[in-house]
């Protein structure tokens, strides 16, 4: 029998019969009595596929439980873990035959050990990766059953399928990216592992007491917190380490201030080396459990899983007690705990900035998740100790760390899909960065003054009246577009590649373009002709009916352009910079094959129609595909979010807030903390 780590084993994906030397496989009851094998799936609480098993019909489920537990580092003896099939609990002596298991059936591992936790926002949930994929990676179709999620690849968590047939058919394509994505996903998995251990330590703040009515949970007098960076005999960090770190860091800051940036960064990396080494020891200081060996199960590691010294597996004492080396009593530690933890979080964040700018992406991502773990501990501890100032300062750092981690994924060509995972973690972590949907993750999310509604594509019945005016005058707008393309040299020279740098804004937009090209002609905004001779009717119409769009463009917050997408061109998935504004497209020149020229906003695909407006929120993830041999041209308009159109004072305040936030984020990259 072979158990395949869900949707990741090369053998299962290739559709070949499993062999003992296949990587990432297990063998149970091989060749047992000639009984025909069946293949079934084990999913977790959230319906995410974790393991596929191939078993003989007479195999006892106890062996499956042990194989599953060893693969996923859980303890099956815990009363909080059990397995179910068709809502019925599976017993260890049950067999596949007695349960009536058939090929492609699903059983569930139910884990009720974890408890709900809160940060200051009371919204701190269990950290999990994004799973809400809406189309199969192979056949590009939605789930066959609306109530059933697609199965995700457990290695990279970034490909989804209806079933093993789709999985096998797509493997030749997916295997090219799976290994790279899996490697890039490791820091996020480390953060999730830390989160689970952190919740266990918080759970240990309670103890059972007997009373006349039975047993009750009672909170201990002093709140405890757990931190991997605290001096501990197990993690290699001592009080001398702290002194050494401070000295080296201060020297590096002096080098930075004299503009010796390269040596300064090397010094900062050396200063934090002890913490980089301590991070894999999560759980070891408090004990961790290791599943007992099972002679019936052989696990062959394919080398794609990370070995982190002794820190990858948790030992049994971590869930049941053990030595609490990493627990600290907040009331006793007082200001020193918050001060030293905050200093380390700031240093990790700044060094991550440097490494991201210097192309050391993997190291930067790991420092960012370390920073996130520390700030979460500070926030939780400060909340329990009623330290509002510590709480607020840590929250700012936490937001910045999540933002940088998300951008590090989104700006890397091979890792774009992983940005959804980061956003999903940030949302569970108390809606960090203001995000509420993993598909909507702009750099600035209005939240301090007003909560703006979020909808990827505006329904037809909710469109503003001016849309009708532009649609009625589509013909004259099209004529003026043609005039800019075929008119005087001055006008034709105004056409430029998007992101070419001639405008002084949008200089990074070229990075999302793949194919023959994307050009723009600016009507309002940076780079526009000051007079109206190039498109007099269109400009007058816009000033009259969409004045806020004209004002927004003239103030540098947007643009109004003719947007021309060349044949066979793809604008890759990305999110706009803010949810303060929306985007409108008036279709001017649309390819005949609409199904091959489309835009996706969030999870919804739409096609353009000539003379019709498509209004959407570009802070949601969106992409454009023109897979035809014809050009696609639209009049593109940036405008205020509809809920800000009549609130000009508020809109102006929010813009200033966004600008200040952006400037602050830039300054943080140039001023190292002490």
């Amino acid at each position: 029998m072979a158990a395949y780590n869900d949707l990741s084993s090369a053998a299962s994906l290739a559709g070949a019969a499993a062999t003992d030397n296949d990587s990432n496989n297990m063998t149970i009851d091989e060749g047992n009595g000639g009984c025909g094998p069946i293949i079934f799936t084990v999913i977790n609480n959230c319906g995410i596929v974790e393991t596929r098993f191939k078993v003989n019909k007479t195999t006892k489920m106890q062996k499956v439980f042990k194989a599953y537990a060893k693969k996923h580092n859980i303890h099956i003896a815990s009363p909080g873990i059990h397995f179910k099939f068709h809502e019925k609990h599976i017993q260890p002596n049950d067999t596949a035959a007695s349960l009536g298991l058939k090929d492609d059936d699903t059983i569930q591992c139910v884990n009720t050990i974890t408890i709900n936790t809160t940060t200051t926002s009371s919204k701190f949930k269990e950290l999990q990766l994004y799973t809400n994929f809406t189309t199969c990676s192979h056949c590009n179709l939605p789930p066959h059953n609306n109530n059933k999620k697609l199965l995700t690849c457990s290695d990279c968590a970034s490909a989804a399928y209806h079933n093993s047939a789709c999985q096998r058919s797509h493997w030749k394509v997916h295997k090219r990216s799976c290994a790279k994505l899996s490697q890039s996903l490791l820091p996020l998995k480390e953060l999730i592992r830390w989160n689970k251990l952190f919740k266990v330590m918080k759970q240990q703040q309670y103890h059972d007491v007997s009373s006349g009515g039975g047993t009750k949970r009672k909170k201990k007098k002093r709140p405890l917190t757990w931190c991997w960076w605290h001096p501990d005999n197990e993690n290699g960090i001592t009080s001398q380490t702290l002194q050494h770190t401070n000295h080296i860091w201060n020297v590096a800051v002096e080098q930075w201030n004299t503009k010796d940036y390269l040596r300064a960064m090397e010094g900062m990396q050396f200063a934090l080396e002890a913490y980089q080494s301590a991070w894999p020891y999560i759980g070891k200081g408090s004990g961790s459990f290791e599943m007992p060996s099972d002679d019936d199960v052989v696990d062959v590691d394919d080398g794609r899983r990370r070995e982190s010294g002794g820190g990858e597996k948790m030992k049994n004492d971590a869930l049941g007690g053990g030595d609490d080396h990493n627990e600290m009593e907040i009331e006793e530690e007082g200001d020193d705990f918050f001060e030293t933890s905050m200093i380390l979080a700031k240093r990790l964040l700044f060094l991550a900035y440097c490494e991201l700018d210097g192309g050391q992406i993997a190291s930067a991502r790991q420092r960012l998740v370390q920073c996130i773990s520390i700030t979460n501990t500070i926030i939780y501890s400060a909340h329990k100790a009623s330290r509002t100032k510590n709480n607020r300062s840590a929250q700012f750092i936490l937001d910045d760390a999540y933002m940088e981690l998300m951008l590090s994924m989104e700006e890397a060509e091979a890792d774009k899909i992983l940005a959804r995972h980061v956003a999903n973690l940030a949302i569970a972590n108390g809606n960090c960065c203001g995000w509420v949907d993993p598909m909507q993750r702009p750099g600035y999310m209005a939240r301090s003054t007003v909560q703006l509604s979020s909808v990827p594509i505006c329904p037809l019945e909710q469109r503003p009246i001016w849309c009708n005016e532009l649609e009625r005058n589509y013909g004259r707008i099209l004529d003026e577009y043609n005039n800019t393309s075929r008119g005087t040299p001055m006008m034709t020279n105004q056409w430029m590649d998007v992101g070419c740098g001639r405008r002084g804004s949008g200089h990074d937009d070229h990075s999302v373009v793949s194919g023959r090209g994307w050009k723009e002609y600016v009507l309002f905004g940076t780079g526009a002709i000051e007079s109206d001779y190039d498109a007099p009717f269109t400009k007058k119409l816009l000033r009259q009916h969409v004045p806020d769009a004209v004002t927004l463009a003239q103030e540098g917050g947007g643009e109004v352009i003719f947007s021309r997408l060349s044949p066979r061109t793809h604008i890759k998935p990305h999110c706009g910079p803010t949810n303060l504004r929306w985007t409108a497209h008036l279709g001017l020149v649309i390819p005949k094959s609409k199904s091959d020229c489309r835009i996706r906003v969030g999870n919804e695909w739409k096609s353009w129609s000539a003379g019709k407006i498509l209004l959407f929120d570009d802070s949601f993830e969106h992409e454009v595909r023109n897979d035809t041999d014809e050009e696609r041209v639209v009049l593109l308009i940036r405008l205020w979010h509809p809920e800000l159109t009549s609130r000009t004072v508020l809109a102006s305040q929010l813009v200033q807030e966004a600008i200040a936030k952006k400037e602050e984020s830039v300054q943080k990259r140039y001023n190292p903390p002490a």
Side-chain angles (χ1 to χ4, degrees):
M1 171 272 175
Y4 303 105
N5 194 20
D6 97 294
L7 311 185
S8 62
S9 168
S12 65
L13 290 172
T19 60
D20 284 347
N21 60 359
D22 282 333
S23 62
N24 219 18
N25 290 355
M26 300 177 182
T27 300
I28 296 181
D29 289 348
E30 182 181 35
N32 183 15
C35 295
I38 62 168
I39 298 175
F40 64 90
T41 301
V42 178
I43 63 175
N44 65 13
N45 290 10
C46 302
I48 303 172
V49 172
E50 295 194 317
T51 310
R52 285 179 60 81
F53 285 96
K54 182 179 179 185
V55 302
N56 292 313
K57 293 181 180 179
T58 57
T59 299
K60 289 187 177 181
M61 298 306 292
Q62 173 69 17
K63 293 184 177 181
V64 175
F65 296 167
K66 288 183 178 180
Y68 179 88
K70 186 173 182 179
K71 175 68 69 177
H72 297 285
N73 290 333
I74 63 174
H75 194 252
I76 58 173
S78 168
I81 295 178
H82 56 272
F83 295 79
K84 296 170 67 175
F85 177 59
H86 289 168
E87 299 303 317
K88 178 182 177 182
H89 284 234
I90 301 175
Q91 302 302 320
N93 290 328
D94 286 338
T95 64
S98 67
L99 290 169
L101 279 173
K102 300 177 183 177
D103 278 337
D104 292 329
D105 272 344
T106 299
I107 67 174
Q108 183 180 20
C109 175
V110 181
N111 184 349
T112 59
I113 291 178
T114 56
I115 59 173
N116 290 330
T117 59
T118 59
T119 62
T120 53
S121 63
S122 300
K123 296 180 181 178
F124 190 17
K125 306 172 185 175
E126 182 177 356
L127 300 187
Q128 294 179 340
L129 298 175
Y130 178 82
T131 60
N132 194 29
F133 294 98
T134 56
T135 56
C136 174
S137 299
H138 169 61
C139 58
N140 206 32
L141 294 174
H144 299 320
N145 183 340
N146 290 333
N147 296 322
K148 185 177 180 181
K149 285 188 175 182
L150 296 170
L151 311 179
T152 56
C153 174
S154 65
D155 273 6
C156 69
S158 303
Y161 304 100
H162 290 114
N163 49 41
S164 57
C166 287
Q167 164 198 350
R168 286 192 294 268
S169 299
H170 191 247
W171 174 242
K172 287 185 178 180
V173 175
H174 179 55
K175 68 179 180 181
R176 302 169 191 165
S177 59
C178 185
K180 173 64 172 65
L181 287 168
S182 301
Q183 189 67 26
S184 299
L185 193 66
L186 282 175
L188 305 189
K189 289 185 174 180
E190 290 174 355
L191 181 60
I192 291 172
R193 185 185 62 176
W194 168 84
N195 172 247
K196 290 179 179 178
L197 286 168
F198 181 63
K199 291 173 71 177
V200 168
M201 298 307 297
K202 290 202 293 184
Q203 190 177 27
Q204 291 178 356
Q205 294 181 30
Y206 297 85
H207 63 280
D208 296 333
V209 294
S210 299
S211 63
T215 302
K216 294 183 178 180
R217 303 275 290 165
K218 185 176 180 181
K219 199 174 189 307
K220 293 180 180 178
K221 290 182 179 180
R222 284 191 289 243
L224 299 176
T225 187
W226 177 79
C227 39
W228 56 269
W229 62 96
H230 189 60
D232 174 81
N233 292 330
E234 297 282 349
N235 63 14
I237 297 177
T238 65
S239 57
Q240 288 75 22
T241 304
L242 300 180
Q243 297 174 6
H244 184 62
T245 293
N246 288 333
H247 173 70
I248 297 174
W249 182 272
N250 291 332
V251 171
V253 170
E254 291 177 4
Q255 293 171 332
W256 181 278
N257 291 333
T258 59
K259 299 185 178 181
D260 191 355
Y261 300 126
L262 185 58
R263 287 184 62 194
M265 189 174 81
E266 291 173 349
M268 292 174 184
Q269 289 174 324
F270 184 57
L272 299 185
E273 185 176 351
Y275 298 101
Q276 198 77 341
S277 300
W279 175 247
Y281 281 79
I282 289 178
K284 190 170 182 180
S286 302
S288 53
F289 79 82
E290 189 166 359
M291 293 303 300
S293 60
D294 187 343
D295 295 335
D296 295 318
V297 180
V298 179
D299 186 2
V300 183
D301 198 316
D302 66 354
R304 282 188 286 178
R305 297 191 178 277
R306 182 180 178 193
E307 294 296 339
S308 306
E312 182 67 16
K313 295 183 179 179
M314 303 173 289
K315 295 191 181 186
N316 200 21
D317 334 12
L319 300 181
D323 297 327
D324 293 333
H325 294 295
N326 283 348
E327 293 185 3
M328 297 177 58
E329 295 188 359
I330 298 171
E331 292 182 358
E332 291 183 1
E333 294 297 331
D335 292 333
D336 184 61
F337 163 70
F338 291 107
E339 182 180 354
T340 56
S341 299
M342 190 74 77
I343 288 173
L344 179 57
K346 290 178 180 179
R347 289 175 176 178
L348 285 167
L349 180 60
F350 182 79
L351 184 52
Y353 288 151
C354 297
E355 290 177 333
L356 287 171
D357 294 341
Q360 299 178 29
I361 308 299
S363 177
R365 288 172 178 169
Q366 191 169 63
R367 295 191 199 278
L368 289 170
V369 298
Q370 293 167 7
C371 177
I372 290 169
S373 75
I374 294 171
T375 49
N376 267 309
T377 306
I378 295 172
I379 290 171
Y380 173 77
S381 305
H383 179 59
K384 295 299 180 184
S386 300
R387 293 172 176 263
T388 306
K389 182 179 178 181
N390 295 114
N391 192 323
R392 194 164 51 243
S393 299
Q395 187 64 56
F396 291 146
I397 298 174
L398 183 62
D399 283 356
D400 289 345
Y402 267 118
M403 182 65 71
E404 289 299 320
L405 187 58
M406 185 278 293
L407 291 174
S408 79
M409 301 296 186
E410 193 161 85
E411 293 172 0
E413 180 63 30
D415 297 336
K416 281 183 179 292
I417 189 70
L418 302 184
R420 299 183 189 180
H421 294 308
V422 178
N424 205 62
L425 297 178
I427 292 167
N429 203 163
N431 296 102
C432 291
C433 307
W435 297 328
V436 294
D437 185 332
M439 299 296 282
Q440 186 187 26
R441 44 183 194 276
Y444 173 80
M445 191 87 172
R447 56 177 174 164
S448 61
T449 311
V450 62
Q451 187 71 42
L452 299 177
S453 62
S454 298
V455 55
I457 298 177
C458 180
L460 289 175
E461 64 274 10
Q462 296 179 17
R463 297 190 316 169
I465 298 175
W466 59 260
C467 291
N468 298 330
E469 291 296 326
L470 266 62
E471 289 178 350
R472 274 197 294 269
N473 291 282
Y474 147 73
R476 296 187 66 178
I477 297 172
L478 176 61
D479 289 341
E480 292 195 339
Y481 155 71
N482 289 328
N483 189 41
T484 62
S485 298
R486 307 163 190 164
T488 65
M490 179 178 289
M491 284 193 288
T492 56
N493 288 338
Q494 281 294 111
W495 281 96
M496 63 189 83
D497 291 322
V498 172
C500 67
R502 282 174 53 189
R503 287 180 54 196
S505 63
H507 55 276
D508 292 328
D509 292 347
H510 69 280
S511 62
V512 300
V513 183
S514 174
R516 298 184 185 177
W518 179 21
K519 291 184 176 292
E520 63 184 356
Y521 185 101
V522 184
L523 297 175
F524 292 106
T526 308
I529 294 176
E530 294 185 1
S531 67
D532 288 358
Y533 87 94
D534 53 348
F537 178 80
T538 301
K539 289 184 175 181
K540 180 180 179 180
L541 191 69
L542 290 168
R543 288 193 184 99
Q544 183 178 355
H545 295 287
V546 204
D548 64 308
V550 176
T551 303
L552 186 63
Q554 291 174 338
E555 292 179 351
E559 63 270 319
V560 178
I561 63 175
F562 289 130
S563 173
R564 184 166 67 201
L565 193 67
S566 299
R568 306 295 171 184
T569 299
H570 179 207
I571 300 177
K572 303 168 192 173
H574 64 287
C575 293
T578 178
N579 68 328
L580 296 178
R581 69 184 194 189
W582 280 17
T583 298
H585 286 180
L586 172 65
L588 298 178
V589 180
I590 308 302
K592 296 182 180 65
S593 178
K594 291 184 179 180
S595 61
D596 293 324
C597 186
R598 303 179 296 162
I599 180 172
R600 175 180 63 81
V601 186
N603 288 314
E604 188 174 358
W605 285 94
K606 288 285 187 179
S607 296
W608 297 272
S609 295
K612 297 297 179 182
I613 282 183
L614 178 66
L615 185 61
F616 61 95
D617 184 344
D618 76 340
S619 65
F620 280 86
E621 181 181 296
H622 58 286
E623 65 176 310
V624 177
R625 298 200 68 95
N626 182 7
D627 296 322
T628 73
D629 293 319
E630 305 171 66
E631 290 181 337
R632 182 238 59 180
V633 181
V634 298
L635 173 65
L636 184 152
I637 306 169
R638 309 283 192 198
L639 60 148
W640 289 115
H641 188 290
E643 294 171 14
L644 293 175
T645 302
S646 60
R647 305 162 74 181
T648 54
V649 174
L650 175 59
S652 178
Q653 291 174 346
L654 291 174
V655 168
Q656 293 304 313
E657 181 181 303
I659 293 173
K661 182 71 174 176
K662 182 176 181 180
E663 178 61 27
E664 180 186 356
S665 66
V666 171
Q667 291 302 317
K668 287 178 181 177
R669 307 182 93 88
Y670 295 98
N671 296 294

